[in-house]
Each structure stands twice: as C-alpha cells, then as structure tokens.
Amino acid sequence: MREETITLEVTRYRPGHDSEPRTESFAVPYQKDWVVLDALNHIKDQLDGTLTYRWSCRMGVCGSCGMMVNGVPKLTCSAFLRDYYPGPIRVEPLANFPVIRDLVVSLDDFMEKLRRVKPWLIRAVEKPVSEGEYRQTPAQLEDYKQFSMCINCMLCYAACPVYGLAPAFVGPAAIALAYRYNMDSRDEGYKLREPILSESVGVWECTFVGECSVVCPKGVDPAAAIQRSKVAGAKDWAMAMLMPWGGRR
Amino acid sequence: MPGNDAYQHDVLVIGGGGAGLRAAIAAAEESGRLSIAVLSKVYPMRSHTVSAEGGTAAVMRENDSLDMHAKDTIFGSDFLADQDVVEAFVKEAPGEVIQLEHWGCPWSRDPDGRVSVRPFGGMTVNRTLYAADKTGFHMLHALFQTSLKYDKIVRYDEWFATSLLVEDGRVCGVVALNVHDGTVRAITAKAVIICTGGAGRIFSFTTNAAIKTGDGMALAYRAGAPLKDMEFMQYHPTGLPGTGILITEASRGEGGHLKNKDGYRYLQDYGLGPPTDKPVHRKMELGPRDILSRCHIQEHQKGRTFEGPYGHYVHLDLRHLGEKLIDKNLPFVRELVKDYVGIDPVYEPIPVRPVIHYTMGGISTDIDAKTRLEGLYAAGEAACVSMNGANRLGSNSLTELLVFGARAGRAAARHALERPAVSSNPVAHLVSDERKRLDTRFLRADGRERIADIRDEMRKAMEDGCGIYREKATMAQTCDTLRRLRERFGRIGLMDRDAVFNTELIAALELECMLDVAAAVAHSALAREESRGAHTRTDFPKRDDARFLKHSLAYRTPDGPRVEYLPVTITRWPPEERKY
C-alpha cells in the first residue's frame, strides 16, 4: 500500500547562490499527529540536509520555530498537518524580517529594541534580599500577568503592517513587555520607559490593526498594551500642558 | 580576529539558560572591572530552562526548616548527594528565589501578597514556589531581561563552542563557530563557566528540547575533566506518549491521580498508599520520580496499562480538580494537552508514560562550581556538584541553577581578577587547527553515513540498555553499539557545505557530543553493580553501600570511558533504607 503524503512548498534562499528566494516542493508522509515542524525535520533528516530553520522545545514555549504557514505567522511546532489537509502547505520565513537563509530570519533589530524599552524592574531604592519579597497581591499580579507571557516568537511583528512599512516602529512585543513592567506594582520605572514609548516610532505609530493580538500563540494582547500606553502617554502630555508644574507626579 | 580585544573577556559563560545568565549577573555584580561574555548556540531566551513548568524549591515558611529541606533532598538522592553541598544549597536557596522576585519574576501569590508555595514529589512540606505552571519560562525571561541592564555583559548569540582552549593545563577560552557566517574564532577568557544543560536527547523519548545534546559536558570531557554520576538519568513519570512533552509534577501536587487501565490508583500496590482524596506529601502520586517510574513499568508487566501507537501508557486524571483550579494553577497543562493530544483535561484523563527528563550526572565540580581543570567552572544541569545524587527531587533543579549559577559566577570572577590576561599567540594556532578539523571532518568529507541514522540508532541503544530497568548483558551491548556508531561517525557525510547558518554542521557537532556523553552514561551504568535511585538493575536489585556509596567519575580515553570512584561526603545524615 502506498503511503499517503502531503506536499510542503518551502521557501529556499541561499545567500551568495540565490539572487531571489525560490520555492521548493517536498512530499512528506501525511501523519495526523505531525506538526509542520515534524514535516520539516523529516525533510532535513531524510530528503535534504541543507534545509535551514530554527527549532528547539517542540512544545510552544521557546519561540524559535515561528514561520509563515499558508501566509499566517505560526509556531510550526503547534501547526498540525491535519489542519491543512490535503495541502499543499506553504512554509515561508516570517514576514517583515530580513532573511538570513531559507526559513531563518534576523532578530538583531528586535533584540536591540527589547533592550531599549528597559524590560527589567526599576526601583529608586532596591530592597535588600534579606528583607524578603516585595508583597504583591494576586490582583496586582493579574494587572500585568498577561503581558508577561510573551515568548519573543516574533509572530506579532510578522503580522504587523506598520512594522512592515516602518521598521523603526518599536513594535508589539517590545511595547507589551515595556507595559508589563510599567503595570507591575513593584516597578518605578515608568518615567524612564515613557520617552521611548512616546517617541514618533513608539506607540503612536500603531494604527490599531490588532493583528498582533490575533496571531499571538500565548494569548498576550499587545494591541491592548499599545492602546493603553497611548492613553497613559496622552494623559502625561495633557498634564504637562495644563499643570504649572508640568504634571510631575 | 584572535588578539582583537572584541574577543577577549575576563569571564566567558557558555550557555545562556538559567544557570548561565545567573552566573553572568553574579560575575557582573562581583566586580565592575570585569568584562563578561555569554555565548549560546541559541538566543538565551530560547534555552531549555524555558520549558520547566512546576516550580522551584526553597524554605519560605514557618512550618519548614533548612534541615527538613536538606533531609528530603538527601533521602530523595538515595544518599548519593554530598551533604555539605546540600546544606549550602538549602541555606542559599531562599535568598536566591527572593532575589529573583526582586528582579521581577511573577511568582504566584497568596492573598496577603506573599509568594505562594505548593507541594511537590518527595518533599515533606509545601516549599515549591511557582509562577502558575510556567515557572521556568518566567524565571528565564526575568533573568534574561534583567541581564540586559548590565552593559558589560557581552553576548555571542547563536555561536557554537567547538573546543576548549587549554594551555599548560589551564583553560583560557574556547574556539567557537559563529553560526550566522560560519567563521571560527578564539574567544579568550581568564575563566570559563559551562552552563549548557543536560543531555536528554541521547534518548528517544524525552521531555528535553532539541538543543539538549550535552555539548558542554563533551567539551569538558574531551579536555580531560571527568563526568560524574552519569549513570543517573532521571525518568519523569508523566510525559506525553510520542512527543515526550512534559506534564508537570505540579499536576500531581495539585491533586491529580495516576490510574491504570482499570481506573485503579495502582501506586497503592507499591508501598506508596493508602490513596487519599487530598494529596499527602511523599505518598501515592507525590512519591519520588524514580519510584513512580518503576511502578509504571511493573504495572505494564502485569498487563494493566493501555496500549497506544507509541507504546504503553497510563492515565493522569485531573478531572476532579475542576476547571477553575486547573485554569488558575495548571493553565499550560491544559493548553499543551488540548494542542498536542486533542483532549481537554477538565473532562478527560491525560495519557502519560515515563520519559527521560533530567541528567543528574555532569561535569564534576566542587561546592564552588570549580572543575578539575584550572580556570574551568560548571553549573546547572551540565554540572554535577552532587546535590541530586541518584535521584533529583522535583523543583530542586531550578533552585540549583540559581544557587550554583551564582556561586560559579562569583568564583570565576574572583579567579579572573587574580589572573593575567591570556596571551594570544598560541591561541591563533589552535584556531587554525580547529578550522582545519571542521573542514576535513565535516565540510570537505565525502562519507556516506547519515546523521539521522546514527542518531536514531544511538537513541535506540540507550533506550534498550539504559532505560528504567537495566541489566549487564543489554548494557554491554549498548556499549558495543555506541563504539560501532562512533566508528561510523568517522565516515559521516554532509549535504550542506555552506558557511552561512549551516544547521547540518551543528547537528553533526551535536551528535559527536551526544556519542561521547552516551558512552559515559552506558559505561558508568555497567560499572555500578547495585540499584540506587534512578539506576535500577534487575541483576543487582539492592543498594550496596559497602561497594557503591560513592560517585562514579568517567574519564575519556581513546579506548572508551574509564570509570573511577570518589567518596560521598556524609555530614549529619547517615545512610538508611529509603522508604516512603
């Protein structure tokens, strides 16, 4: 009996060899419990050892294996072949990023932006460890918890039309993480992050398409973080205009 | 370029997971004068620490004590833990988890604002802090994001260390491959810390990420450092069949039940009962991992497990916990089971089987994370400081990487402050040797052996010989198979000859590391003629303190691993029979 197969149309690009990305088709065994990543691993192990992509945890938490699957940003370790049957399945590198090779994109830009939004707890005075934890109620935890779930998989950037047009835009994941720290009851760094978020390439750049939140595999809502940061930023601006002492709190 | 300042550091950390980042921050805080680098084959936030789910143990409450945590750990280790190490560990654990809280980790909280603690397997009281069931993820991101504020921590993201630079017996850096452009460079340092994690990928069924291929262990082993207690590979009793995805022990801590195909809570038949409605510390489902994994196999031998496409399994039943509790404390479990098994654990039991989870052995270090090679340190799962002994208790490993990561960072920093800079002349020579080796062995080699074939056969050999139950004949066969695979590896052929992002080359280098580490595991296991913790032999079913109350040390030789022994440090807890 012949084994049932499904076709993957994979983008190939070798710098120095290809002037343009091209598409190569591979037929892989169709297994209902396989994810797209399993199919790529099959290709690499059995058919073409030069196929290049990133992956690691295979359980949707390390954030390595994001790619475009039929035009939609997905973690390939949780995109099941059965949901694309009978295929073909188009697998491309994440949109809006420079391609290094095949399905691997450069994260340099994001790594730089992440550092710029100061995603760490900022305190005027740090309490010594010997004095124990900062108390934080479950409700205070809930205020920022959702935004701390970001795995830096970059699907939101691949879905963001603004980032596609204006790469200087700080972007959904970095803004969501800045917002996460701003909302943390232990943090006092709002004033230090605010200038980065409110500059021209910050939150105001967002036209609220909301695709970032739609594609997020972890239920983070970066669009909400961006909108709420706009509200906070606008309030600061208004306070600065109206109040004689510049609205300093 | 070698000699260029950009590739010279005082402290170089290999591996950017929990232990590596904690070490780097500790070194940065030890002295403002040090240049620190973190080299990782992935971006640090992709490290496998991200997958840890259940929690991190530390004495936090009035009903607990350091002695109780120490005793549980030593007892759980089947008395193979060094007791001075365990005492240091439990003492420093609370400070480390609070430090992480100060760095923003979103620990789950009690109504009064204190960090919450939950029960975990083998522990006598609630002492496991958690961030829902994504503890490792939150810890790793808190550490990574915090590390970004230290300007002097330089990162080499997506670089692969191929060998240690050793001069006059002193480790002075690494040769590493920049995955992005294929260049090979020397990165020198006065002290090197290996924090590359475990080697679960030498087995077929594992909770471990693809990147856990024992690279750092192999680096140290090849440079002459021994690997300690490698025979102790931990099975986690509840992984998903097929994928090996971890279903955290916290699901049992919250009250989940293990049931055989008759719906019977079988653990009561193995001295862990009686079954109770509420979980009881160290009883039934809260027994230690080695015992639960053995119970599974025995239950299978009695014909009372389910049979599926990926072999035998039992049920982990969470239904009685209710949707609200599951969503609050086990949301990731629900997400994983829905995504990967297609069922909702609120309404259906989860199929589970034991899967390889943790490498208790590793690069032999002392209590300050120092290895036998001058200038080389190790921490986290890559290391064996001897606190887990023959069986690690759940939730001790995340604390271990904090405590010993910090210790390694401080010790390496102090070492670096006392040492002169590394001279660059011999280094240039070593780099060109390594470049030649990579070219002739891999990029210009015309062999016909395929990576995937050798890798699959290695994994099968490890499952066959070094699984939950072991015996002499099959282990010896595994040792033989590994020797033959090593020969075949010499005839490997790659399809990919490109410089840019050559992941096939990386896979070959990883396989070479796995073959070294697997041999150390199999030979150490064959030599230990007793049953202790995760090492259970049908031909030697009893623990034998007279002969084997000691650590194994595997040294690499051209003829295969040579196994020696080292005494266990006993301070206040004389060995006794381990009963639950």
Side-chain angles (χ1 to χ4, degrees):
Chain A
M1 198 179 79
R2 263 191 52 189
E3 201 179 39
E4 199 178 355
T5 62
I6 190 164
T7 298
L8 263 67
E9 295 173 353
V10 184
T11 303
R12 305 300 306 267
Y13 172 68
R14 282 170 79 200
H17 298 268
D18 302 327
S19 51
E20 286 291 316
R22 59 199 165 81
T23 302
E24 191 170 355
S25 291
F26 297 95
V28 301
Y30 173 67
Q31 310 247 28
K32 277 197 190 116
D33 58 351
W34 271 18
V35 291
V36 169
L37 178 62
D38 293 322
L40 294 174
N41 284 340
H42 175 85
I43 296 170
K44 183 154 189 88
D45 285 348
Q46 308 297 333
L47 307 174
D48 184 349
T50 68
L51 182 65
T52 304
Y53 50 97
R54 292 187 180 104
W55 73 288
S56 181
C57 77
R58 211 216 167 270
M59 58 190 280
V61 71
C62 80
S64 309
C65 69
M67 298 168 211
M68 306 300 284
V69 180
N70 281 359
V72 179
K74 287 271 181 196
L75 293 180
T76 50
C77 74
S78 49
F80 282 86
L81 298 185
R82 59 178 181 254
D83 295 334
Y84 300 91
Y85 185 81
I89 305 173
R90 193 155 38 88
V91 186
E92 299 162 296
L94 280 181
N96 300 337
F97 290 91
V99 176
I100 296 175
R101 182 178 170 183
D102 290 352
L103 301 163
V104 174
V105 298
S106 172
L107 301 187
D108 292 352
D109 179 56
F110 171 74
M111 297 305 277
E112 176 52 34
K113 284 171 174 165
L114 183 64
R115 189 196 280 262
R116 274 181 63 213
V117 301
K118 302 185 193 297
W120 53 81
L121 212 59
I122 297 170
R123 306 269 310 174
V125 181
E126 283 193 40
K127 178 162 115 173
V129 164
S130 58
E131 287 176 25
E133 71 258 52
Y134 295 113
R135 295 287 180 109
Q136 183 170 68
T137 64
Q140 288 171 322
L141 171 67
E142 216 43 52
D143 284 343
Y144 71 90
K145 186 84 196 281
Q146 184 226 125
F147 302 101
S148 73
M149 297 293 190
C150 170
I151 61 172
N152 302 165
C153 65
M154 303 291 103
L155 302 196
C156 56
Y157 284 75
C160 175
V162 179
Y163 186 62
L165 294 168
F169 176 43
V170 178
I175 293 173
L177 282 164
Y179 187 72
R180 168 249 180 279
Y181 283 95
N182 282 343
M183 292 304 290
D184 191 322
S185 58
R186 299 166 291 182
D187 183 81
E188 299 167 346
Y190 174 78
K191 289 275 173 215
L192 292 170
R193 288 183 204 104
E194 210 269 337
I196 301 145
L197 295 186
S198 58
E199 68 190 27
S200 62
V201 291
V203 292
W204 299 102
E205 203 65 16
C206 170
T207 52
F208 197 43
V209 174
E211 273 304 305
C212 51
S213 299
V214 174
V215 300
C216 177
K218 296 286 125 180
V220 182
D221 189 352
I226 294 169
Q227 295 315 305
R228 290 190 214 161
S229 298
K230 279 185 186 173
V231 172
K235 212 170 86 194
D236 276 7
W237 178 83
M239 292 287 271
M241 291 291 116
L242 298 172
M243 302 297 207
W245 56 89
R248 297 269 170 262
R249 284 175 287 189
Chain B
M1 296 296 287
N4 182 333
D5 282 353
Y7 300 97
Q8 282 184 8
H9 304 281
D10 295 300
V11 176
L12 171 65
V13 184
I14 316 290
L21 293 169
R22 184 66 191 88
I25 295 172
E29 295 200 327
E30 184 69 18
S31 163
R33 290 192 284 128
L34 296 171
S35 156
I36 296 145
V38 176
L39 179 148
S40 165
K41 66 174 172 176
V42 294
Y43 284 92
M45 72 282 188
R46 315 280 193 232
S47 308
H48 186 63
T49 305
V50 83
S51 302
E53 296 173 20
T56 182
V59 172
M60 298 300 287
R61 295 293 158 88
E62 302 69 34
N63 66 345
D64 199 359
S65 74
L66 298 182
D67 274 6
M68 284 162 73
H69 190 187
K71 194 180 174 191
D72 288 349
T73 302
I74 290 161
F75 205 76
S77 81
D78 220 344
F79 290 89
L80 200 70
D82 283 350
Q83 299 184 0
D84 55 339
V85 169
V86 173
E87 289 191 74
F89 164 73
V90 298
K91 191 161 162 250
E92 288 166 32
E96 282 295 329
V97 297
I98 290 167
Q99 176 65 78
L100 208 63
E101 194 277 334
H102 287 199
W103 285 337
C105 188
W107 297 127
S108 293
R109 303 282 178 159
D110 284 358
D112 65 2
R114 290 188 301 173
V115 294
S116 301
V117 283
R118 70 169 27 144
F120 235 73
M123 304 283 186
T124 39
V125 295
N126 294 5
R127 64 165 71 96
T128 298
L129 290 79
Y130 56 101
D133 55 0
K134 295 190 177 181
T135 309
F137 161 75
H138 284 299
M139 284 177 60
L140 182 68
H141 281 253
L143 282 167
F144 177 60
Q145 289 164 12
T146 298
S147 80
L148 296 176
K149 78 178 177 191
Y150 296 89
D151 286 336
K152 54 191 183 161
I153 299 180
V154 176
R155 286 209 324 274
Y156 296 87
D157 295 337
E158 300 194 310
W159 284 61
F160 189 96
T162 63
S163 67
L164 283 174
L165 289 170
V166 187
E167 208 190 352
D168 300 331
R170 188 182 146 206
V171 172
C172 52
V174 296
V175 181
L177 176 74
N178 178 349
V179 180
H180 284 234
D181 62 13
T183 53
V184 172
R185 289 197 190 279
I187 302 172
T188 61
K190 298 177 196 171
V192 173
I193 311 175
I194 295 181
C195 300
T196 48
R201 283 270 161 179
I202 61 175
F203 285 78
S204 315
F205 289 101
T206 177
T207 61
N208 284 193
I211 52 178
K212 291 191 70 181
T213 48
D215 314 335
M217 292 179 186
L219 275 185
Y221 187 51
R222 289 171 197 159
L227 300 181
K228 194 200 287 168
D229 291 342
M230 290 305 287
E231 59 271 43
F232 300 102
M233 293 296 301
Q234 180 168 68
Y235 275 82
H236 194 293
T238 59
L240 294 181
T243 58
I245 289 172
L246 172 69
I247 301 301
T248 172
E249 194 160 298
S251 47
R252 285 173 279 129
E254 296 291 341
H257 294 158
L258 282 171
K259 293 175 173 172
N260 67 15
K261 70 172 184 182
D262 306 320
Y264 173 71
R265 289 174 68 189
Y266 59 92
L267 294 174
Q268 58 190 293
D269 295 354
Y270 301 92
L272 286 159
T276 48
D277 287 345
K278 293 259 176 228
V280 175
H281 287 288
R282 308 216 298 176
K283 296 290 173 198
M284 293 298 290
E285 285 82 2
L286 286 184
R289 293 171 176 181
D290 53 346
I291 295 179
L292 262 56
S293 298
R294 285 195 292 273
C295 294
H296 175 101
I297 298 297
Q298 291 185 38
E299 202 60 12
H300 169 63
Q301 285 161 352
K302 291 175 190 161
R304 302 202 297 218
T305 53
F306 298 94
E307 281 302 322
Y310 299 102
H312 46 88
Y313 65 92
V314 293
H315 273 157
L316 174 62
D317 195 347
L318 307 184
R319 290 175 295 182
H320 55 287
L321 301 180
E323 185 166 15
K324 210 173 138 205
L325 181 81
I326 291 173
D327 281 348
K328 179 165 171 276
N329 286 345
L330 303 167
F332 193 34
V333 166
R334 191 176 186 189
E335 182 185 326
L336 287 168
V337 175
K338 274 177 150 177
D339 283 356
Y340 292 102
V341 193
I343 63 169
D344 185 343
V346 171
Y347 307 107
E348 281 179 86
I350 309 167
V352 290
R353 59 164 281 169
V355 289
I356 282 285
H357 183 57
Y358 190 84
T359 313
M360 266 121 17
I363 304 162
S364 178
T365 75
D366 70 6
I367 197 165
D368 291 314
K370 222 170 140 229
T371 72
R372 302 275 178 103
L373 296 178
E374 200 198 330
L376 184 67
Y377 300 76
E381 197 180 347
C384 179
V385 64
S386 297
M387 64 155 283
N388 298 310
N391 174 59
R392 174 178 71 81
L393 293 189
S395 75
N396 265 354
S397 70
L398 288 177
T399 317
E400 177 187 0
L401 59 82
L402 295 174
V403 169
F404 293 99
R407 276 183 164 243
R410 289 192 293 264
R414 281 181 221 133
H415 178 86
L417 287 167
E418 291 164 5
R419 295 283 156 171
V422 179
S423 67
S424 58
N425 288 341
V427 164
H429 174 67
L430 293 168
V431 173
S432 74
D433 282 357
E434 187 67 0
R435 173 81 263 177
K436 244 177 258 162
R437 184 181 81 95
L438 295 182
D439 287 345
T440 52
R441 291 216 48 194
F442 301 111
L443 295 178
R444 291 203 294 268
D446 289 321
R448 292 182 165 254
E449 291 285 356
R450 284 205 304 200
I451 293 173
D453 295 342
I454 295 176
R455 196 169 54 202
D456 289 349
E457 286 180 46
M458 170 195 70
R459 287 174 177 163
K460 183 172 182 306
M462 294 308 285
E463 295 277 347
D464 288 348
C466 299
I468 293 173
Y469 283 100
R470 304 166 171 188
E471 55 154 353
K472 187 176 177 180
T474 43
M475 270 189 290
Q477 209 173 357
T478 297
C479 291
D480 269 355
T481 306
L482 292 173
R483 200 173 300 124
R484 274 187 287 109
L485 291 175
R486 164 61 72 178
E487 284 166 23
R488 285 173 56 190
F489 184 81
R491 301 190 292 275
I492 203 154
L494 303 191
M495 294 172 79
D496 195 340
R497 312 277 161 124
D498 270 11
V500 174
F501 226 97
N502 187 331
T503 50
E504 197 185 22
L505 173 60
I506 299 299
L509 293 167
E510 288 175 333
L511 177 58
E512 195 177 30
C513 293
M514 287 193 283
L515 286 168
D516 266 343
V517 174
V521 171
H523 285 262
S524 303
L526 183 60
R528 183 176 287 273
E529 297 178 329
E530 65 156 354
S531 291
R532 184 187 299 268
H535 176 68
T536 309
R537 291 187 60 157
T538 50
D539 46 356
F540 294 94
K542 288 250 183 302
R543 193 175 90 192
D544 184 351
D545 284 350
R547 290 174 68 209
F548 288 105
L549 183 59
K550 44 196 183 181
H551 303 293
S552 67
L553 290 178
Y555 289 85
R556 193 170 189 275
T557 82
D559 310 318
R562 179 182 83 242
V563 181
E564 295 180 6
Y565 291 93
L566 184 73
V568 172
T569 305
I570 308 283
T571 58
R572 295 193 281 137
W573 294 273
E576 56 180 281
E577 195 189 345
R578 187 164 158 247
K579 275 189 185 155
Y580 282 89

